[in-house]
Amino acid sequence: MSAIAKSIPKQVKFSTLSQLKQHAKDITQPTPQPEYKFGKLSNDQKAFLDRVIRVDQAGELGANYIYAGQHFVLSRTEPQLKDLIQHMWDQEVHHHNTFNKLQAQRRVRPSILTPIWKVGAFGLGAVTALISKEAAMACTVAVETVIGGHYNDQLRVLNTKFNDIETTEVLSGKDETGSVISNEVTELKDIIKTFRDEELEHLDTAIEHDAESAVPYWLITDVIKLTCKAAIFTAERV
Amino acid sequence: MLRLNQLYKLKPTRITSRLLPSLRAYHSIQHDNALPLNSNSIEYKILNRALEEYTPSLGFTDEAILKSTRELGYNDSIIALFNNGSKFLDFYLKKQRLELLNFIESEEFKTLRSETDKVKYLVKTRLLLNAPYVQHLNQLQGRLIFFENLEDSFSELHQLADDVLFYSGDASNQFDWYTKRFEVASKYVMLETFMSQDKSEGFAKTLELVDEKFAEGSAVEETMEFLKFNAISLVSLIKSQASRG
Ligand SMILES: [Fe+2]
Ligand SMILES: [Fe+2]
């Protein structure tokens, strides 16, 4: 790789065309870097990635089913919200599919509780939507707050704990440990960042749609936040 | 190998609490993935020679290891490394499982299209790798269910099922991930037991039975057993993980 190409920060996008290409490519396949040789991940790093993929897959499955539950109810009671919910739901489906691919490709065991996540999430979406449209939005606020924070926690670890993997430039044999990171790690970070931003958009959307006027807002959001945290703890492990 | 329903009678907490977490964690695309055996180690050299030269006649015995140790010029005391031969069994299972890596590169495997055909091919291949040792299979299976070997052999069995399915292109994402692995593992155990008694030319009967057992669209017969198994493993898994934090 030429020095100029190297000096360009990794995530710069030059045009809409390159963005489109980026989209056409399967984002779960790391862009090859044949010019570098990457050493083993440590057991801790592997265990971390294993947990990340399992819990994110389960989380996106849950999100998917929450929106399915909301859509099921709100498309009948509040038809003006149908398209809005559908848009967020579509994004969740994309998130979930992405983690499904990563889980199969990286040989990660999915959470054994998937049947429970599905029922629970659909129920949560449907029940809050039955209470009121505001309650449904409050549920979205709670869920997206927890997921957004959770993604940020993961990004922090990916940024700080993956800089010590032995890396060498194949031709020159130059040691690049810490200065060149595998796309496997970098692009996983990109995926999580993109998804986090979309979750925060969902959060904003929910607030714009009067989540805070749900009665009692604090009770709904706090209970759901706690539930989500317990689910994350469990899905990382089981 | 071992009969799964025998496992229920043995302390389930110890076996199952380690079962799920002990499965392979995270397969890297760009980073080196460590193989479970190091072919440069002394241990590997001794056991490999014992397996190839002496096990067909002597079985999985200390005598086979000892002969190989002497032939390679090591001191007899090194045999203490092998933990009463249980390392030998584990070595055998791992080595034969890793052999599948060569077979997925074969022309024959590459012509296969459906997941079922690939699974059948790999199961047959793995069974046939037992051929030189077939008169010792009973001994092998008998020793694998000894308590001290149980965790390792159980985990190896699941690794085998996981490898077979991964190489065959399995992309299950939910509960079916577990049912499929359980199906392959339990059928494999059954087939291996059958093979140990099979006197037909080239194990033709065993291979036929593979086709029958993995017939397209065959349902998981052991669903009930599987659910029972999961109920036990789930409770102990949650316990062990919750205490770990
Ligand atoms: Fe999402
Ligand atoms: Fe979301």
Side-chain angles (χ1 to χ4, degrees), chain A residues 60 63 91-92 95 144 147 151 195 199 202:
Chain A
E60 296 297 351
Q91 287 184 322
E92 300 301 356
H95 297 175
E144 303 295 9
I147 296 191
Y151 278 156
F195 290 2
E199 310 303 2
H202 299 171

Side-chain angles (χ1 to χ4, degrees), chain B residues 169-198:
Chain B
D170 166 57
S172 44
N173 302 119
Q174 299 187 16
F175 202 66
D176 52 348
W177 188 95
Y178 294 89
T179 44
K180 281 173 102 169
R181 272 146 192 81
F182 185 78
E183 185 189 350
V184 171
S186 52
K187 286 179 181 171
Y188 180 81
V189 171
M190 191 280 264
L191 288 158
E192 206 180 58
T193 310
F194 183 85
M195 185 188 186
S196 67
Q197 312 297 329
D198 185 3

Side-chain angles (χ1 to χ4, degrees), chain A residues 10-11 22 25-36 38 41 49 53 98 101-106 181-191, chain B residues 26-31 33:
Chain A
K10 285 217 174 70
Q11 286 320 304
Q22 193 81 21
K25 161 182 182 275
D26 178 359
I27 55 172
T28 66
Q29 284 293 347
T31 314
Q33 296 158 287
E35 62 275 35
Y36 297 108
F38 300 102
L41 298 163
L49 293 171
I53 291 176
T98 305
K101 279 192 195 157
L102 286 168
Q103 173 260 315
Q105 184 194 95
R106 314 281 162 96
I181 307 285
S182 66
N183 283 336
E184 184 174 336
V185 173
T186 317
E187 291 175 10
L188 178 64
K189 275 195 284 196
D190 296 341
I191 290 172
Chain B
Y26 191 80
H27 171 77
S28 176
I29 309 294
Q30 288 186 295
H31 298 265
N33 285 299

Side-chain angles (χ1 to χ4, degrees), chain A residues 199-215:
Chain A
E199 310 303 2
L200 295 179
E201 274 170 38
H202 299 171
L203 175 63
D204 291 344
T205 308
I207 290 180
E208 280 161 26
H209 286 80
D210 310 320
E212 283 161 343
S213 54
V215 181

Side-chain angles (χ1 to χ4, degrees), chain B residues 132-192:
Chain B
Y133 314 101
V134 72
Q135 70 269 39
H136 307 294
L137 270 186
N138 274 333
Q139 182 206 6
L140 181 72
Q141 291 166 336
R143 288 182 55 188
L144 285 174
I145 58 165
F146 268 148
F147 200 73
E148 73 213 53
N149 301 326
L150 198 55
E151 267 184 33
D152 286 341
S153 52
F154 202 54
S155 137
E156 251 317 293
L157 178 62
H158 276 262
Q159 302 275 12
L160 175 65
D162 189 51
D163 277 4
V164 165
L165 284 164
F166 179 72
Y167 301 150
S168 302
D170 166 57
S172 44
N173 302 119
Q174 299 187 16
F175 202 66
D176 52 348
W177 188 95
Y178 294 89
T179 44
K180 281 173 102 169
R181 272 146 192 81
F182 185 78
E183 185 189 350
V184 171
S186 52
K187 286 179 181 171
Y188 180 81
V189 171
M190 191 280 264
L191 288 158
E192 206 180 58

